[in-house]
Amino acid sequence: MDPMILRAAEWVQFDPERFRPVPLAQNDRLKVQLVCFEPGQQIPLHTPGVDLVLTVLEGHGLVIAGEKEGVVGPGSVVCVPAGTPRSVRAHTRLVALAVVSPPPTAADHVEVEAALAEQAT
């Protein structure tokens, strides 16, 4: 991963069908991405084996982190340890910066993909 300085707003991308992750940087220790949501879109409750720091850049939504639940908005920071259930649901158009360590594997995404597929039916 090379050093970088960027304006997050220039990387924002939305998808009308589902939340949109936008990769920014990754190495063997961490992954950095924007996560962009239209109102009502969500990352379903799942329990990956990665630590997460989520910083809301714009918009509002609801975050579940283990036993905690809270409304988040610009400037909110959420820290969730590996193995803790988590979910994000956008109330408005929402953009967040997500840093996970280590980078997630395909197995970490199985729960999310299954829940999204179930919602689509």
Side-chain angles (χ1 to χ4, degrees), residues 39-101:
Q41 291 179 341
Q42 67 178 345
I43 298 175
L45 191 65
H46 65 296
T47 310
V50 299
D51 294 320
L52 166 69
V53 176
L54 184 79
T55 304
V56 177
L57 303 177
E58 65 180 67
H60 293 87
L62 177 71
V63 171
I64 296 172
E67 299 296 318
K68 298 182 187 267
E69 181 176 307
V71 174
V72 295
S76 295
V77 177
V78 179
C79 299
V80 188
T84 303
R86 61 197 70 175
S87 174
V88 179
R89 180 174 181 82
H91 293 158
T92 65
R93 195 173 244 203
L94 188 145
V95 177
L97 180 70
V99 179
V100 294
S101 179

Short mmCIF file of all heavy atoms in Angstrom, two decimals, residues 39-101:
data_model
loop_
_atom_site.label_atom_id
_atom_site.label_comp_id
_atom_site.label_asym_id
_atom_site.label_seq_id
_atom_site.Cartn_x
_atom_site.Cartn_y
_atom_site.Cartn_z
N PRO A 39 -30.81 5.67 1.07
CA PRO A 39 -31.72 5.50 2.20
C PRO A 39 -32.36 4.10 2.19
O PRO A 39 -32.80 3.61 1.15
CB PRO A 39 -32.78 6.57 1.97
CG PRO A 39 -32.08 7.62 1.17
CD PRO A 39 -31.12 6.87 0.28
N GLY A 40 -32.36 3.46 3.36
CA GLY A 40 -32.95 2.13 3.51
C GLY A 40 -32.01 0.98 3.23
O GLY A 40 -32.29 -0.15 3.61
N GLN A 41 -30.90 1.23 2.57
CA GLN A 41 -29.94 0.15 2.31
C GLN A 41 -29.21 -0.20 3.60
O GLN A 41 -29.09 0.63 4.50
CB GLN A 41 -28.95 0.54 1.23
CG GLN A 41 -29.58 0.66 -0.13
CD GLN A 41 -28.59 1.08 -1.21
OE1 GLN A 41 -27.52 1.62 -0.95
NE2 GLN A 41 -28.96 0.82 -2.46
N GLN A 42 -28.73 -1.44 3.67
CA GLN A 42 -28.08 -1.88 4.89
C GLN A 42 -27.02 -2.94 4.65
O GLN A 42 -27.03 -3.60 3.62
CB GLN A 42 -29.11 -2.42 5.87
CG GLN A 42 -29.75 -3.71 5.42
CD GLN A 42 -30.74 -4.23 6.46
OE1 GLN A 42 -30.74 -3.78 7.60
NE2 GLN A 42 -31.58 -5.16 6.07
N ILE A 43 -26.14 -3.05 5.60
CA ILE A 43 -25.28 -4.22 5.74
C ILE A 43 -25.95 -5.04 6.83
O ILE A 43 -26.04 -4.60 7.98
CB ILE A 43 -23.84 -3.85 6.14
CG1 ILE A 43 -23.20 -2.97 5.07
CG2 ILE A 43 -23.01 -5.11 6.38
CD1 ILE A 43 -21.83 -2.45 5.44
N PRO A 44 -26.49 -6.21 6.48
CA PRO A 44 -27.22 -7.00 7.46
C PRO A 44 -26.34 -7.44 8.63
O PRO A 44 -25.11 -7.48 8.53
CB PRO A 44 -27.68 -8.23 6.67
CG PRO A 44 -27.56 -7.84 5.24
CD PRO A 44 -26.47 -6.84 5.16
N LEU A 45 -26.99 -7.78 9.73
CA LEU A 45 -26.29 -8.25 10.91
C LEU A 45 -25.42 -9.45 10.55
O LEU A 45 -25.90 -10.41 9.93
CB LEU A 45 -27.29 -8.62 12.01
CG LEU A 45 -26.71 -8.87 13.39
CD1 LEU A 45 -26.11 -7.59 13.96
CD2 LEU A 45 -27.79 -9.40 14.32
N HIS A 46 -24.16 -9.37 10.90
CA HIS A 46 -23.21 -10.45 10.63
C HIS A 46 -22.10 -10.38 11.67
O HIS A 46 -21.98 -9.40 12.40
CB HIS A 46 -22.66 -10.36 9.20
CG HIS A 46 -21.84 -9.14 8.93
ND1 HIS A 46 -22.34 -7.86 8.98
CD2 HIS A 46 -20.53 -9.01 8.62
CE1 HIS A 46 -21.38 -6.99 8.70
NE2 HIS A 46 -20.27 -7.66 8.49
N THR A 47 -21.30 -11.43 11.75
CA THR A 47 -20.27 -11.54 12.78
C THR A 47 -18.94 -11.94 12.16
O THR A 47 -18.53 -13.09 12.24
CB THR A 47 -20.70 -12.57 13.85
OG1 THR A 47 -22.03 -12.26 14.27
CG2 THR A 47 -19.77 -12.53 15.05
N PRO A 48 -18.25 -11.00 11.50
CA PRO A 48 -16.98 -11.34 10.87
C PRO A 48 -15.84 -11.40 11.87
O PRO A 48 -15.93 -10.87 12.98
CB PRO A 48 -16.77 -10.20 9.87
CG PRO A 48 -17.44 -9.04 10.52
CD PRO A 48 -18.63 -9.62 11.25
N GLY A 49 -14.75 -12.00 11.45
CA GLY A 49 -13.57 -12.14 12.29
C GLY A 49 -12.58 -11.01 12.10
O GLY A 49 -11.38 -11.24 12.09
N VAL A 50 -13.08 -9.77 11.92
CA VAL A 50 -12.21 -8.62 11.71
C VAL A 50 -12.63 -7.48 12.64
O VAL A 50 -13.81 -7.32 12.96
CB VAL A 50 -12.23 -8.13 10.24
CG1 VAL A 50 -11.75 -9.21 9.30
CG2 VAL A 50 -13.61 -7.64 9.81
N ASP A 51 -11.64 -6.69 13.07
CA ASP A 51 -11.92 -5.47 13.82
C ASP A 51 -12.39 -4.41 12.83
O ASP A 51 -11.93 -4.37 11.67
CB ASP A 51 -10.66 -4.96 14.51
CG ASP A 51 -10.16 -5.89 15.59
OD1 ASP A 51 -10.99 -6.46 16.33
OD2 ASP A 51 -8.93 -6.06 15.70
N LEU A 52 -13.29 -3.53 13.28
CA LEU A 52 -13.84 -2.48 12.42
C LEU A 52 -13.81 -1.15 13.13
O LEU A 52 -14.17 -1.05 14.31
CB LEU A 52 -15.30 -2.80 12.07
CG LEU A 52 -16.13 -1.67 11.45
CD1 LEU A 52 -15.66 -1.35 10.04
CD2 LEU A 52 -17.61 -2.03 11.46
N VAL A 53 -13.37 -0.12 12.40
CA VAL A 53 -13.56 1.27 12.81
C VAL A 53 -14.33 1.91 11.67
O VAL A 53 -13.88 1.92 10.52
CB VAL A 53 -12.23 2.01 13.06
CG1 VAL A 53 -12.50 3.47 13.39
CG2 VAL A 53 -11.45 1.34 14.16
N LEU A 54 -15.52 2.43 11.99
CA LEU A 54 -16.39 3.05 11.00
C LEU A 54 -16.59 4.51 11.38
O LEU A 54 -17.01 4.80 12.52
CB LEU A 54 -17.74 2.32 10.98
CG LEU A 54 -18.74 2.79 9.94
CD1 LEU A 54 -18.38 2.19 8.59
CD2 LEU A 54 -20.15 2.36 10.34
N THR A 55 -16.28 5.42 10.48
CA THR A 55 -16.47 6.85 10.71
C THR A 55 -17.47 7.37 9.70
O THR A 55 -17.25 7.26 8.49
CB THR A 55 -15.13 7.61 10.57
OG1 THR A 55 -14.18 7.05 11.47
CG2 THR A 55 -15.32 9.09 10.88
N VAL A 56 -18.57 7.91 10.19
CA VAL A 56 -19.61 8.44 9.30
C VAL A 56 -19.16 9.81 8.79
O VAL A 56 -18.85 10.71 9.58
CB VAL A 56 -20.96 8.53 10.02
CG1 VAL A 56 -22.02 9.14 9.10
CG2 VAL A 56 -21.40 7.15 10.50
N LEU A 57 -19.15 9.95 7.47
CA LEU A 57 -18.75 11.21 6.84
C LEU A 57 -19.95 12.08 6.51
O LEU A 57 -19.89 13.30 6.61
CB LEU A 57 -17.93 10.93 5.58
CG LEU A 57 -16.68 10.08 5.77
CD1 LEU A 57 -16.01 9.83 4.43
CD2 LEU A 57 -15.73 10.73 6.75
N GLU A 58 -21.03 11.44 6.07
CA GLU A 58 -22.26 12.18 5.78
C GLU A 58 -23.46 11.26 5.92
O GLU A 58 -23.35 10.05 5.77
CB GLU A 58 -22.23 12.80 4.38
CG GLU A 58 -22.21 11.80 3.24
CD GLU A 58 -22.18 12.46 1.87
OE1 GLU A 58 -21.16 13.10 1.55
OE2 GLU A 58 -23.16 12.33 1.13
N GLY A 59 -24.60 11.86 6.23
CA GLY A 59 -25.83 11.11 6.36
C GLY A 59 -26.07 10.60 7.77
O GLY A 59 -25.29 10.86 8.69
N HIS A 60 -27.19 9.88 7.92
CA HIS A 60 -27.60 9.34 9.21
C HIS A 60 -28.08 7.91 9.05
O HIS A 60 -28.60 7.53 8.00
CB HIS A 60 -28.71 10.19 9.83
CG HIS A 60 -28.24 11.56 10.20
ND1 HIS A 60 -28.25 12.60 9.32
CD2 HIS A 60 -27.72 12.03 11.35
CE1 HIS A 60 -27.76 13.67 9.90
NE2 HIS A 60 -27.42 13.35 11.15
N GLY A 61 -27.91 7.12 10.10
CA GLY A 61 -28.34 5.74 10.07
C GLY A 61 -28.33 5.13 11.45
O GLY A 61 -28.10 5.80 12.45
N LEU A 62 -28.56 3.83 11.47
CA LEU A 62 -28.59 3.06 12.70
C LEU A 62 -27.48 2.02 12.64
O LEU A 62 -27.35 1.31 11.63
CB LEU A 62 -29.94 2.36 12.86
CG LEU A 62 -30.08 1.46 14.08
CD1 LEU A 62 -30.14 2.31 15.35
CD2 LEU A 62 -31.32 0.60 13.96
N VAL A 63 -26.71 1.92 13.71
CA VAL A 63 -25.65 0.92 13.80
C VAL A 63 -25.94 0.01 14.98
O VAL A 63 -26.32 0.48 16.06
CB VAL A 63 -24.26 1.59 13.96
CG1 VAL A 63 -23.19 0.55 14.28
CG2 VAL A 63 -23.89 2.36 12.72
N ILE A 64 -25.75 -1.28 14.75
CA ILE A 64 -25.77 -2.26 15.83
C ILE A 64 -24.35 -2.78 15.97
O ILE A 64 -23.72 -3.15 14.97
CB ILE A 64 -26.74 -3.41 15.53
CG1 ILE A 64 -28.18 -2.87 15.45
CG2 ILE A 64 -26.63 -4.51 16.58
CD1 ILE A 64 -29.19 -3.88 14.97
N ALA A 65 -23.84 -2.77 17.19
CA ALA A 65 -22.50 -3.26 17.48
C ALA A 65 -22.58 -4.07 18.77
O ALA A 65 -22.63 -3.49 19.86
CB ALA A 65 -21.51 -2.11 17.62
N GLY A 66 -22.67 -5.39 18.63
CA GLY A 66 -22.84 -6.23 19.80
C GLY A 66 -24.17 -5.93 20.46
O GLY A 66 -25.21 -5.91 19.81
N GLU A 67 -24.14 -5.60 21.75
CA GLU A 67 -25.36 -5.28 22.50
C GLU A 67 -25.75 -3.80 22.39
O GLU A 67 -26.77 -3.39 22.91
CB GLU A 67 -25.16 -5.64 23.98
CG GLU A 67 -24.90 -7.11 24.23
CD GLU A 67 -26.08 -8.00 23.84
OE1 GLU A 67 -27.23 -7.61 24.13
OE2 GLU A 67 -25.84 -9.05 23.23
N LYS A 68 -24.91 -3.02 21.73
CA LYS A 68 -25.17 -1.58 21.61
C LYS A 68 -25.86 -1.28 20.29
O LYS A 68 -25.61 -1.91 19.27
CB LYS A 68 -23.88 -0.79 21.72
CG LYS A 68 -23.19 -0.97 23.05
CD LYS A 68 -21.94 -0.14 23.14
CE LYS A 68 -21.19 -0.45 24.40
NZ LYS A 68 -21.48 0.39 25.49
N GLU A 69 -26.73 -0.27 20.32
CA GLU A 69 -27.44 0.18 19.12
C GLU A 69 -27.53 1.69 19.22
O GLU A 69 -27.81 2.24 20.29
CB GLU A 69 -28.83 -0.44 19.11
CG GLU A 69 -29.66 -0.07 17.92
CD GLU A 69 -30.99 -0.80 17.93
OE1 GLU A 69 -31.00 -2.04 18.04
OE2 GLU A 69 -32.01 -0.11 17.79
N GLY A 70 -27.26 2.38 18.12
CA GLY A 70 -27.33 3.83 18.17
C GLY A 70 -27.47 4.46 16.81
O GLY A 70 -27.06 3.91 15.79
N VAL A 71 -28.07 5.65 16.82
CA VAL A 71 -28.19 6.45 15.61
C VAL A 71 -26.86 7.18 15.42
O VAL A 71 -26.30 7.72 16.38
CB VAL A 71 -29.36 7.46 15.74
CG1 VAL A 71 -29.40 8.39 14.54
CG2 VAL A 71 -30.68 6.70 15.87
N VAL A 72 -26.36 7.16 14.19
CA VAL A 72 -25.08 7.78 13.88
C VAL A 72 -25.29 8.87 12.82
O VAL A 72 -26.25 8.83 12.05
CB VAL A 72 -24.05 6.74 13.38
CG1 VAL A 72 -23.70 5.76 14.48
CG2 VAL A 72 -24.54 6.00 12.15
N GLY A 73 -24.38 9.82 12.82
CA GLY A 73 -24.39 10.91 11.84
C GLY A 73 -22.97 11.37 11.60
O GLY A 73 -22.01 10.76 12.11
N PRO A 74 -22.80 12.45 10.84
CA PRO A 74 -21.46 12.93 10.51
C PRO A 74 -20.59 13.10 11.76
O PRO A 74 -21.01 13.70 12.75
CB PRO A 74 -21.73 14.27 9.83
CG PRO A 74 -23.10 14.11 9.25
CD PRO A 74 -23.85 13.28 10.25
N GLY A 75 -19.42 12.50 11.73
CA GLY A 75 -18.49 12.57 12.84
C GLY A 75 -18.60 11.41 13.81
O GLY A 75 -17.73 11.24 14.66
N SER A 76 -19.65 10.59 13.69
CA SER A 76 -19.77 9.43 14.57
C SER A 76 -18.67 8.43 14.26
O SER A 76 -18.36 8.18 13.09
CB SER A 76 -21.12 8.74 14.38
OG SER A 76 -22.18 9.57 14.77
N VAL A 77 -18.09 7.86 15.31
CA VAL A 77 -17.07 6.82 15.16
C VAL A 77 -17.56 5.59 15.90
O VAL A 77 -17.96 5.66 17.06
CB VAL A 77 -15.71 7.29 15.74
CG1 VAL A 77 -14.68 6.17 15.65
CG2 VAL A 77 -15.23 8.55 15.02
N VAL A 78 -17.52 4.45 15.21
CA VAL A 78 -17.97 3.18 15.76
C VAL A 78 -16.78 2.21 15.74
O VAL A 78 -16.15 2.05 14.69
CB VAL A 78 -19.13 2.59 14.92
CG1 VAL A 78 -19.59 1.26 15.48
CG2 VAL A 78 -20.29 3.59 14.84
N CYS A 79 -16.48 1.59 16.86
CA CYS A 79 -15.41 0.60 16.95
C CYS A 79 -16.03 -0.73 17.35
O CYS A 79 -16.73 -0.80 18.37
CB CYS A 79 -14.37 1.01 17.99
SG CYS A 79 -13.55 2.57 17.61
N VAL A 80 -15.76 -1.76 16.56
CA VAL A 80 -16.35 -3.08 16.81
C VAL A 80 -15.24 -4.12 16.73
O VAL A 80 -14.61 -4.29 15.68
CB VAL A 80 -17.46 -3.42 15.79
CG1 VAL A 80 -18.17 -4.70 16.20
CG2 VAL A 80 -18.44 -2.28 15.63
N PRO A 81 -14.99 -4.86 17.83
CA PRO A 81 -13.96 -5.89 17.79
C PRO A 81 -14.38 -7.10 16.96
O PRO A 81 -15.57 -7.37 16.78
CB PRO A 81 -13.77 -6.29 19.26
CG PRO A 81 -14.81 -5.60 20.03
CD PRO A 81 -15.56 -4.68 19.15
N ALA A 82 -13.39 -7.81 16.47
CA ALA A 82 -13.62 -9.04 15.71
C ALA A 82 -14.52 -9.98 16.50
O ALA A 82 -14.45 -10.04 17.73
CB ALA A 82 -12.29 -9.72 15.40
N GLY A 83 -15.39 -10.69 15.79
CA GLY A 83 -16.26 -11.66 16.42
C GLY A 83 -17.49 -11.07 17.08
O GLY A 83 -18.25 -11.78 17.73
N THR A 84 -17.72 -9.76 16.90
CA THR A 84 -18.87 -9.08 17.47
C THR A 84 -19.89 -8.81 16.36
O THR A 84 -19.53 -8.27 15.31
CB THR A 84 -18.46 -7.74 18.12
OG1 THR A 84 -17.46 -8.00 19.09
CG2 THR A 84 -19.64 -7.04 18.76
N PRO A 85 -21.17 -9.17 16.59
CA PRO A 85 -22.18 -8.89 15.56
C PRO A 85 -22.27 -7.40 15.29
O PRO A 85 -22.14 -6.58 16.19
CB PRO A 85 -23.48 -9.40 16.20
CG PRO A 85 -23.05 -10.35 17.26
CD PRO A 85 -21.73 -9.85 17.75
N ARG A 86 -22.53 -7.08 14.01
CA ARG A 86 -22.62 -5.68 13.59
C ARG A 86 -23.55 -5.52 12.40
O ARG A 86 -23.72 -6.44 11.61
CB ARG A 86 -21.25 -5.13 13.24
CG ARG A 86 -20.63 -5.91 12.08
CD ARG A 86 -19.16 -5.72 11.93
NE ARG A 86 -18.43 -6.34 12.99
CZ ARG A 86 -17.11 -6.41 13.04
NH1 ARG A 86 -16.39 -5.91 12.07
NH2 ARG A 86 -16.50 -6.98 14.04
N SER A 87 -24.11 -4.33 12.28
CA SER A 87 -25.01 -4.02 11.18
C SER A 87 -25.06 -2.51 11.01
O SER A 87 -24.90 -1.77 11.97
CB SER A 87 -26.42 -4.55 11.48
OG SER A 87 -27.34 -4.15 10.49
N VAL A 88 -25.31 -2.06 9.77
CA VAL A 88 -25.50 -0.64 9.48
C VAL A 88 -26.72 -0.52 8.58
O VAL A 88 -26.84 -1.26 7.59
CB VAL A 88 -24.28 -0.03 8.73
CG1 VAL A 88 -24.52 1.44 8.41
CG2 VAL A 88 -23.00 -0.22 9.52
N ARG A 89 -27.62 0.41 8.91
CA ARG A 89 -28.79 0.68 8.07
C ARG A 89 -28.89 2.19 7.88
O ARG A 89 -28.88 2.95 8.87
CB ARG A 89 -30.06 0.15 8.70
CG ARG A 89 -31.29 0.41 7.85
CD ARG A 89 -32.53 -0.25 8.44
NE ARG A 89 -33.68 -0.03 7.62
CZ ARG A 89 -34.00 -0.72 6.53
NH1 ARG A 89 -33.22 -1.70 6.12
NH2 ARG A 89 -35.08 -0.46 5.84
N ALA A 90 -28.97 2.63 6.63
CA ALA A 90 -29.02 4.06 6.32
C ALA A 90 -30.44 4.60 6.43
O ALA A 90 -31.37 4.02 5.88
CB ALA A 90 -28.49 4.30 4.90
N HIS A 91 -30.59 5.71 7.16
CA HIS A 91 -31.86 6.43 7.19
C HIS A 91 -31.92 7.43 6.04
O HIS A 91 -32.99 7.67 5.47
CB HIS A 91 -32.03 7.18 8.50
CG HIS A 91 -32.16 6.27 9.69
ND1 HIS A 91 -31.88 6.69 10.97
CD2 HIS A 91 -32.54 4.97 9.81
CE1 HIS A 91 -32.09 5.70 11.81
NE2 HIS A 91 -32.47 4.64 11.13
N THR A 92 -30.78 8.03 5.73
CA THR A 92 -30.64 8.97 4.62
C THR A 92 -29.50 8.45 3.76
O THR A 92 -28.88 7.44 4.10
CB THR A 92 -30.28 10.38 5.13
OG1 THR A 92 -28.97 10.32 5.74
CG2 THR A 92 -31.29 10.89 6.14
N ARG A 93 -29.19 9.12 2.70
CA ARG A 93 -27.97 8.78 1.97
C ARG A 93 -26.82 8.89 2.95
O ARG A 93 -26.72 9.89 3.67
CB ARG A 93 -27.81 9.75 0.80
CG ARG A 93 -26.83 9.31 -0.22
CD ARG A 93 -26.84 10.23 -1.41
NE ARG A 93 -27.29 9.47 -2.57
CZ ARG A 93 -27.02 9.80 -3.81
NH1 ARG A 93 -26.35 10.90 -4.08
NH2 ARG A 93 -27.45 9.05 -4.80
N LEU A 94 -25.99 7.85 3.02
CA LEU A 94 -24.96 7.77 4.06
C LEU A 94 -23.64 7.35 3.42
O LEU A 94 -23.63 6.45 2.57
CB LEU A 94 -25.39 6.76 5.13
CG LEU A 94 -24.54 6.67 6.38
CD1 LEU A 94 -25.44 6.38 7.58
CD2 LEU A 94 -23.50 5.59 6.28
N VAL A 95 -22.57 8.00 3.84
CA VAL A 95 -21.22 7.64 3.41
C VAL A 95 -20.37 7.49 4.66
O VAL A 95 -20.35 8.37 5.52
CB VAL A 95 -20.60 8.71 2.48
CG1 VAL A 95 -19.17 8.34 2.11
CG2 VAL A 95 -21.45 8.91 1.24
N ALA A 96 -19.67 6.35 4.76
CA ALA A 96 -18.81 6.09 5.91
C ALA A 96 -17.47 5.58 5.43
O ALA A 96 -17.36 4.93 4.39
CB ALA A 96 -19.47 5.07 6.84
N LEU A 97 -16.45 5.88 6.21
CA LEU A 97 -15.12 5.34 5.99
C LEU A 97 -14.95 4.14 6.91
O LEU A 97 -15.11 4.27 8.12
CB LEU A 97 -14.05 6.39 6.29
CG LEU A 97 -12.61 5.94 6.09
CD1 LEU A 97 -12.33 5.76 4.60
CD2 LEU A 97 -11.64 6.95 6.70
N ALA A 98 -14.67 2.98 6.33
CA ALA A 98 -14.51 1.75 7.11
C ALA A 98 -13.06 1.29 7.02
O ALA A 98 -12.49 1.18 5.94
CB ALA A 98 -15.42 0.66 6.57
N VAL A 99 -12.48 1.03 8.18
CA VAL A 99 -11.14 0.45 8.27
C VAL A 99 -11.29 -0.87 9.01
O VAL A 99 -11.82 -0.90 10.12
CB VAL A 99 -10.17 1.38 9.02
CG1 VAL A 99 -8.79 0.75 9.12
CG2 VAL A 99 -10.10 2.75 8.35
N VAL A 100 -10.88 -1.96 8.36
CA VAL A 100 -10.98 -3.28 8.98
C VAL A 100 -9.60 -3.92 9.03
O VAL A 100 -8.75 -3.70 8.17
CB VAL A 100 -11.97 -4.21 8.23
CG1 VAL A 100 -13.38 -3.70 8.36
CG2 VAL A 100 -11.60 -4.37 6.78
N SER A 101 -9.39 -4.69 10.09
CA SER A 101 -8.11 -5.37 10.27
C SER A 101 -8.36 -6.73 10.92
O SER A 101 -9.08 -6.81 11.91
CB SER A 101 -7.20 -4.54 11.18
OG SER A 101 -5.97 -5.20 11.38
#
